[in-house]
Amino acid sequence: MPKDHGIGASSKRREDVRFLTGAGNYTDDINIPGQTYVHFLRSDIAHGKINAVNTEDAAGMPGVLRVFTGTDFEGVGGLPCGWQVTDKHGQPMQEPAHPVLAQGKVRYVGEIVAAVVAETAEQARDAAEAIELDIEDLPAVIDMKAAVQEGAPKVHDDLTSNLCYDWGFVEENKGAVDEAFEKAAHVTTLELVNNRLVANPMEPRVAIGDYTRHNGESTLYTTSQNPHVIRLLMGAFVLGIPEHKLRVVAPDVGGGFGTKIFHYAEEAFCTFAAKALKRPVKWTSSRSEAFISDAHGRDHVTKIELALDGENNFTAIRTETYANMGAYLSTFAPSVPTWLHGTLMAGNYKTPAIYVNVKAVFTNTVPVDAYRGAGRPEATFQLERVIDKAARELGVDPIALRRQNFITEFPYATPVAVEYDTGDYNATMDKLEEIADLKGFEARRKESEARGKLRGLGVNCYIEACGIAPSNLVGQLGARAGLYESATVRVNATGGLVVMTGSHSHGQGHETSFPQVISEMIGIPEDQVEIVHGDTARTPMGMGTYGSRSLAVGGSAMVRATEKIINKTKKIAAHLMEASEADIELKDGQFTVAGTDKSVAWGDVCLAAYVPHNYPLDDIEPGLEETAFYDPSNFTYPAGAYACEVEVDPETGKVTIERFAAADDFGNVVNPMIVSGQVHGGLAQGIGQALLEGAVYDETGQLLSASYMDYAMPRADDVPFYTVDHSCQTPCTHNPLGVKGCGEAGAIGSPPSVVNAVVDALQSAGKSVTHIDMPLSPGRVWTAMQG
Amino acid sequence: MTQVSMTVNGKSVSGEVEGRTLLVNFLRDHLSLTGTHVGCDTGQCGACMVHVDGDAVKSCNMLALEADGTEVATIEGQANADGSLNTIQQAFQDHHGLQCGFCTPGMVMTAAALLKDNPKPTEAEIRHYLEGNICRCTGYHNIVKAIMAASGQDVNAIAAE
């Protein structure tokens, strides 16, 4: 029987009721009395010198309170970057200033040039049209490789070039890698593009700044995955507001996928302007604005080489990647192609020598930063594509080649600086072969052929690193933040409790899954536990939700705080039952004394803590409230194996996903229903990347795919029912729940299997196609088939 | 400004709007019915789906003045009279057909329109009908499953939740 509550139960989500009845409280649903509205005038050219911004006419338009330009922010800090990468020569990356409003130059289409605050949104928009811009066109650099050529126009005049950094990892491996390639029996080389994507959470970003004159406090309501991070960055680095005078609230947030991690100019502007005008200032992004102002994702160009010996063992991997930073460094951008990408290049395989080179480049495009998976999809895609190509070149079964090279002993220290604590890659591959019915593939291929379609099978593995940690290590790697998580557990006098967590839920269902853990630990019903998140005034300093870290890090903090609570309640129970603390047991919400029939209920102990008449006051304080900060000792390493079956229409090149199966090892699972849902969503985003999505710039820096008319989001009829399984569980060895994280797996693991499947389909028809760059649109596939 | 009147979720409402005010803005800003969402500006995403005189309509694609005299239904009016979730809403919760919840009101309103026209849709018919509603969280698996379940079909054979 499946469990009906606690860890392992598919408890129905309590947050659904408000979302299903229109009672959600998203940032745009918040309206503050006296609220004003801002409209941002954005650059429509990619690179130009600002000669003049004439706001006189706009300032006189009906309802306009004030028009702001870059000059209003001259004494204000710029948007900070949260990660400093050191290049292969030991030098820090080039880090340009990142003004809130453009100063002197515009550097991408979408950069804010001026802001109009008015009584209504319509008045602000109308007035923005009356602003006269005199911006002198400068040549734009869009292509990364062109941007680092001698003589290329510079995005930032005060930097030496458009190269942010040239990173080598691990530099000490380079000699051994080169030697392995010289000795290799076979080398497979692949050049590929990891296409630029737009995260596109369905809720566009919103920011509301508010300033209360009676206490001098600023409040920012914002669509963020990590309100404390925003408070720290904006307060300390941009606006100079001490944290005790600044509150950041991120209420219901309609999806994040990474792009709502970062601190954006609009947040700083609304907070700044609210204080200047002594009125609340609200901004609601349109989708068109979102495309040119939300940080984009991916955008790598890579050459990967795989060396094998005569027995088909992997002996070395060498990569060279160009990674687009866009025009400025978004909050965590430098970490994505480096520490979140290079460290994953071993994948699931015992390759002894690996060297990764990454050149990060400034271009006149929207800043690029973490998007679901962040560096790990890029690593997985290159590795799993080159392995597939190698198998085809060598004429061996792609699954057998993978199995032969699997890491099978743990812990395993990779040559790229990380240590996998646990895993069983053969188990997930076995499970995949079963749930994907790989034995039935040939029959299905014949059936497709009978209908004139080409059927292909693509398989790949993935590994990811979640819950990036520990803080002292990431500090050495350049992180300018800690990567712990916090929780305060407050038990009320009548026994119910509230968990105030630094994690943030924007679709992950923490309000349901976190209470399951508490319920398991104490034995009280889940509905006795309330989760509070998303408000710096109500929760302890926390780092928020990204990198599949919530349960592994935030959940662990909650467990630690709850353990402190349980320890204290056992002391109280021992006092009440006149027993030794060592003999007290807590089960199903009852304290008992081992070997006796004495018991006292959880609620009675909690009441005693707040009405301490019969209480060990000499030993412990009254009250039941505990806080824990949890700093993990290592990443967690979820892994799995995925299989995709496609049909290709040889007449049109259209690819359809016929079957998709995912076998994941997430360690222990708290809510299987939620975990499956996370995988489903990740798969759709990965399939979207593989087949549909791409942010396309023309050579002048205009984003051609800047609406849902042009950017192909996956829709219901682009995807099949998925077959997912997470019964292979090797629990994480270093966190108290044994959990690993599941939020990004689907997006990391799925693109290579889709491309592998299409290549398989085309080769099965005798085509010599070895690679097609994503997205595999009908045009690209058809063109490849003609070659 | 022009006077506009309509019935929303069974109640008569009226207000003064500009000619350019969209129905979705009238619902959200004038009536504080914030369950109807705005996810795009090109009529693609379906987060703003409502029913106007019984038909599914994207309320960002209709001026408030065009809705004068109509009967409008929004997500806020979908639950049963006793406040419990209706069949479609309950199926979405039972089958985890939502995550962040932002597209959800539009999905529920679209599903209601589909099931009115086609009480037992096939998987393919559901997927085709949902083309005008984008979800970024669920990968659609559990939305399609929830709608099939709401129509009384046995979905146990379809992949586990």
Side-chain angles (χ1 to χ4, degrees), chain A residues 647-700:
Chain A
E647 269 190 0
V648 180
D649 183 338
E651 302 294 322
T652 64
K654 182 170 169 54
V655 177
T656 54
I657 308 284
E658 295 299 312
R659 295 164 67 94
F660 204 106
D664 294 291
D665 175 0
F666 297 131
N668 293 333
V669 168
V670 170
N671 185 315
M673 175 191 81
I674 288 176
V675 168
S676 293
Q678 291 291 308
V679 177
H680 295 157
L683 294 178
Q685 289 186 7
I687 291 168
Q689 170 167 27
L691 292 185
L692 301 163
E693 299 179 42
V696 179
Y697 278 95
D698 73 7
E699 67 278 5
T700 69

Side-chain angles (χ1 to χ4, degrees), chain A residues 233-519:
Chain A
L233 295 179
M234 184 175 78
F237 297 98
V238 188
L239 300 180
I241 304 173
E243 282 167 285
H244 59 277
K245 290 290 186 190
L246 178 59
R247 176 185 175 200
V248 177
V249 182
D252 285 332
V253 172
F257 313 117
T259 205
K260 290 176 181 169
I261 296 171
F262 321 121
H263 176 39
Y264 286 98
E266 295 87 354
E267 296 171 320
F269 177 84
C270 289
T271 309
F272 177 86
K275 190 172 181 181
L277 297 168
K278 308 288 186 285
R279 299 269 304 269
V281 177
K282 181 173 188 174
W283 170 68
T284 303
S285 174
S286 67
R287 182 59 61 185
S288 297
E289 278 185 287
F291 271 101
I292 55 171
S293 67
D294 291 4
H296 291 184
R298 313 281 193 263
D299 206 358
H300 287 193
V301 176
T302 293
K303 178 184 177 187
I304 181 168
E305 299 164 281
L306 172 66
L308 302 94
D309 67 14
E311 281 81 49
N312 295 341
N313 298 308
F314 303 162
T315 56
I317 292 166
R318 187 164 58 196
T319 75
E320 182 186 32
T321 288
Y322 288 81
N324 206 335
M325 295 286 104
Y328 296 96
L329 292 178
S330 176
T331 310
F332 290 112
S335 68
V336 175
T338 51
W339 299 108
L340 296 178
H341 162 248
T343 50
L344 271 294
M345 282 312 304
N348 311 56
Y349 311 101
K350 49 189 180 203
T351 312
I354 299 174
Y355 179 74
V356 177
N357 173 247
V358 178
K359 296 173 179 71
V361 181
F362 293 111
T363 61
N364 292 113
T365 62
V366 172
V368 181
D369 206 326
Y371 164 59
R372 200 172 195 170
R376 292 152 287 175
E378 294 90 325
T380 304
F381 185 69
Q382 335 163 12
L383 186 60
E384 295 295 330
R385 283 290 300 122
V386 82
I387 292 171
D388 220 67
K389 187 166 183 244
R392 291 175 186 284
E393 287 171 356
L394 295 163
V396 299
D397 173 47
I399 294 177
L401 181 63
R402 286 178 169 87
R403 283 186 186 271
Q404 175 184 341
N405 285 281
F406 274 161
I407 296 161
T408 52
E409 292 178 14
F410 297 88
Y412 178 82
T414 73
V416 278
V418 292
E419 183 174 287
Y420 303 161
D421 60 339
T422 182
D424 187 344
Y425 308 143
N426 276 306
T428 43
M429 186 60 89
D430 291 346
K431 179 56 72 173
L432 180 76
E433 293 198 27
E434 173 198 329
I435 64 172
D437 182 30
L438 296 190
K439 287 200 181 93
F441 171 72
E442 283 306 326
R444 293 191 291 275
R445 173 175 266 172
K446 286 198 173 62
E447 191 272 330
S448 294
E449 280 170 0
R451 286 185 287 105
K453 299 288 171 61
L454 308 177
R455 197 171 188 109
L457 168 67
V459 171
N460 67 270
C461 300
Y462 77 91
I463 185 158
E464 69 156 318
C466 303
I468 177 170
S471 291
N472 53 4
L473 173 68
V474 297
Q476 290 170 27
L477 305 183
R480 291 164 167 164
L483 285 164
Y484 51 83
E485 196 46 87
S486 65
T488 295
V489 176
R490 177 180 297 160
V491 185
N492 296 315
T494 50
L497 59 82
V498 181
V499 180
M500 285 149 282
T501 171
S503 296
H504 186 275
S505 185
H506 30 278
Q508 296 90 340
H510 298 173
E511 291 168 42
T512 300
S513 57
F514 280 28
Q516 291 180 243
V517 175
I518 301 271
S519 172

Side-chain angles (χ1 to χ4, degrees), chain A residues 531-728:
Chain A
I531 303 297
V532 172
H533 64 97
D535 184 345
T536 61
R538 297 182 70 196
T539 60
M541 174 74 180
M543 299 311 291
T545 288
Y546 42 83
S548 306
R549 71 194 299 272
S550 290
L551 196 59
V553 191
S556 296
M558 179 180 71
V559 168
R560 291 287 184 247
T562 306
E563 286 169 352
K564 292 185 191 180
I565 292 282
I566 290 171
N567 287 341
K568 188 168 178 181
T569 53
K570 282 186 173 176
K571 289 185 201 298
I572 303 168
H575 178 87
L576 292 175
M577 293 189 282
E578 297 177 340
S580 164
E581 187 189 331
D583 293 334
I584 303 296
E585 292 170 359
L586 171 61
K587 196 179 172 212
D588 297 332
Q590 290 286 326
F591 295 91
T592 54
V593 181
T596 75
D597 60 357
K598 286 184 184 175
S599 76
V600 59
W602 167 260
D604 292 330
V605 171
C606 299
L607 188 65
Y610 288 96
V611 188
H613 296 165
N614 177 17
Y615 193 85
L617 283 168
D618 292 341
D619 296 330
I620 52 175
E621 297 170 4
L624 269 180
E625 179 164 326
E626 298 287 351
T627 296
F629 284 73
Y630 181 82
D631 205 292
S633 60
N634 192 357
F635 297 92
T636 65
Y637 298 96
Y642 287 10
C644 176
E645 281 183 37
V646 299
E647 269 190 0
V648 180
D649 183 338
E651 302 294 322
T652 64
K654 182 170 169 54
V655 177
T656 54
I657 308 284
E658 295 299 312
R659 295 164 67 94
F660 204 106
D664 294 291
D665 175 0
F666 297 131
N668 293 333
V669 168
V670 170
N671 185 315
M673 175 191 81
I674 288 176
V675 168
S676 293
Q678 291 291 308
V679 177
H680 295 157
L683 294 178
Q685 289 186 7
I687 291 168
Q689 170 167 27
L691 292 185
L692 301 163
E693 299 179 42
V696 179
Y697 278 95
D698 73 7
E699 67 278 5
T700 69
Q702 293 296 330
L703 182 61
L704 302 178
S705 53
S707 80
Y708 288 156
M709 307 287 279
D710 307 294
Y711 186 94
M713 292 281 279
R715 306 199 184 214
D717 58 0
D718 293 316
V719 291
F721 280 129
Y722 319 99
T723 303
V724 303
D725 182 280
H726 29 80
S727 63
C728 298

Side-chain angles (χ1 to χ4, degrees), chain A residues 103-283:
Chain A
Q103 293 181 6
K105 270 173 78 168
V106 290
R107 295 184 174 88
Y108 66 93
V109 171
E111 184 167 8
I112 303 170
V113 181
V116 182
V117 180
E119 296 289 347
T120 72
E122 291 79 6
Q123 288 169 335
R125 199 161 60 221
D126 290 346
E129 288 190 13
I131 295 173
E132 292 172 27
L133 295 183
D134 175 4
I135 300 181
E136 184 183 333
D137 260 311
L138 295 171
V141 283
I142 307 303
D143 179 76
M144 282 189 279
K145 289 184 179 174
V148 292
Q149 294 299 308
E150 193 72 29
K154 284 206 288 186
V155 178
H156 297 276
D157 299 327
D158 54 338
L159 304 186
T160 58
S161 70
N162 293 320
L163 186 66
C164 177
Y165 55 75
D166 186 352
W167 186 74
F169 184 69
V170 176
E171 205 59 34
E172 292 74 28
N173 291 355
K174 204 163 184 291
V177 169
D178 291 345
E179 192 183 326
F181 273 94
E182 281 165 24
K183 291 183 183 163
H186 184 85
V187 173
T188 297
T189 303
L190 183 59
E191 294 188 41
L192 49 80
V193 173
N194 203 290
N195 41 328
R196 186 179 180 114
L197 303 175
V198 183
N200 274 307
M202 292 316 298
E203 178 204 31
R205 287 189 297 119
V206 181
I208 310 169
D210 191 19
Y211 178 76
T212 44
R213 297 173 70 177
H214 70 272
N215 59 7
E217 284 186 9
S218 294
T219 302
L220 170 69
Y221 300 87
T222 183
T223 48
S224 176
Q225 301 175 215
N226 30 241
H228 277 101
V229 175
I230 303 304
R231 187 181 69 164
L232 178 62
L233 295 179
M234 184 175 78
F237 297 98
V238 188
L239 300 180
I241 304 173
E243 282 167 285
H244 59 277
K245 290 290 186 190
L246 178 59
R247 176 185 175 200
V248 177
V249 182
D252 285 332
V253 172
F257 313 117
T259 205
K260 290 176 181 169
I261 296 171
F262 321 121
H263 176 39
Y264 286 98
E266 295 87 354
E267 296 171 320
F269 177 84
C270 289
T271 309
F272 177 86
K275 190 172 181 181
L277 297 168
K278 308 288 186 285
R279 299 269 304 269
V281 177
K282 181 173 188 174
W283 170 68

